[in-house]
């Protein structure tokens, strides 16, 4: 899996960072998504999928 974040679409809600803090953070200056691990191992796939699904701006995607 490869996680991609579109920072132009991100609204800084922070859902991703709350759901999967090992994979996502928010920028200190703008509050927008920062991908910490774009290629998570299998143990993190469920959390990555949940973060993608719950992003209110649709700023995250994950390719298999």
């Amino acid at each position: 899996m490869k996680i991609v974040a579109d920072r132009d679409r991100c609204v800084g809600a922070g859902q991703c960072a709350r759901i999967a803090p090992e994979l996502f953070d928010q920028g200190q200056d703008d509050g927008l998504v920062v991908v910490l691990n774009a290629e998570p191992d299998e143990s993190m796939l469920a959390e990555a999928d949940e973060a993608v699904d719950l992003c209110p701006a649709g700023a995250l995607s994950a390719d298999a």
Side-chain angles (χ1 to χ4, degrees):
M1 170 186 282
K2 179 153 174 97
I3 299 170
V4 177
D6 183 345
R7 289 177 51 88
D8 291 331
R9 291 183 72 175
C10 181
V11 296
Q15 293 291 84
C16 55
R18 281 190 281 282
I19 292 166
E22 302 85 1
L23 302 177
F24 304 99
D25 200 356
Q26 291 179 272
Q28 289 184 355
D29 295 335
D30 56 13
L32 301 180
V33 63
V34 175
V35 178
L36 301 175
N37 181 357
E39 295 184 19
D41 62 33
E42 288 188 32
S43 68
M44 296 299 301
L45 296 184
E47 288 155 325
D49 283 337
E50 184 178 3
V52 169
D53 290 343
L54 293 178
C55 177
L60 300 175
S61 63
D63 298 322

